[in-house]
Amino acid sequence: QVQLGESGGGLVQPGESLRLSCAASGSIVSINAMGWYRQAPGKERELVAVVTRGGSLNYADSVKGRFTISRGNAKNTVYLQMNSLKPEDTAVYYCNADRVVTTTQIRDYWGQGTQVTVSS
């Protein structure tokens, strides 16, 4: 069984920063990519940022220059540094692990979500 543990959400004012963390645990052989998605009320879930096993990065246009995704020194961890936060960044942020290979299956996994609220 694979689990994704997230932390770091909260309430901040516009212009402030937050750092989200995600760690995948379990009998993991490999993970193709790890990333962050978000879903605001009444909107569809959207990609925020992703980093592949090879180190390739991809960002949504709306967060380029403000958010940075990185892989941790600990295996199967990923961080999202969010700077210059805006009210439109308010959403539930979900960690995703793409094509997780275990001894029994290959599938994607999602975290439980962490709320980020940007408001004055």
Side-chain angles (χ1 to χ4, degrees):
Q1 182 73 11
V2 174
Q3 292 185 328
L4 300 184
E6 303 160 339
S7 63
L11 170 64
V12 296
Q13 294 187 348
E16 293 185 339
S17 299
L18 278 175
R19 188 188 194 212
L20 305 182
S21 302
C22 176
S25 60
S27 301
I28 299 169
V29 175
S30 65
I31 301 177
N32 177 59
M34 293 187 74
W36 292 92
Y37 290 70
R38 66 187 181 186
Q39 187 166 18
K43 295 187 177 181
E44 293 186 354
R45 191 172 297 189
E46 63 176 2
L47 171 71
V48 177
V50 65
V51 54
T52 70
R53 186 169 53 174
S56 297
L57 306 175
N58 189 32
Y59 293 94
D61 288 342
S62 60
V63 306
K64 284 180 180 177
R66 299 187 299 122
F67 290 11
T68 302
I69 190 169
S70 62
R71 299 168 70 178
N73 291 330
K75 197 175 181 182
N76 300 329
T77 60
V78 67
Y79 304 100
L80 184 68
Q81 178 66 40
M82 304 185 293
N83 298 329
S84 302
L85 282 161
K86 303 176 181 180
E88 50 264 44
D89 294 318
T90 295
V92 178
Y93 284 69
Y94 296 92
C95 180
N96 170 264
D98 175 71
R99 287 185 58 80
V100 179
V101 178
T102 67
T103 55
T104 57
Q105 61 182 343
I106 302 173
R107 55 163 285 188
D108 296 352
Y109 289 88
W110 292 91
Q112 78 282 2
T114 184
Q115 178 70 46
V116 171
T117 303
V118 185
S119 175
S120 55

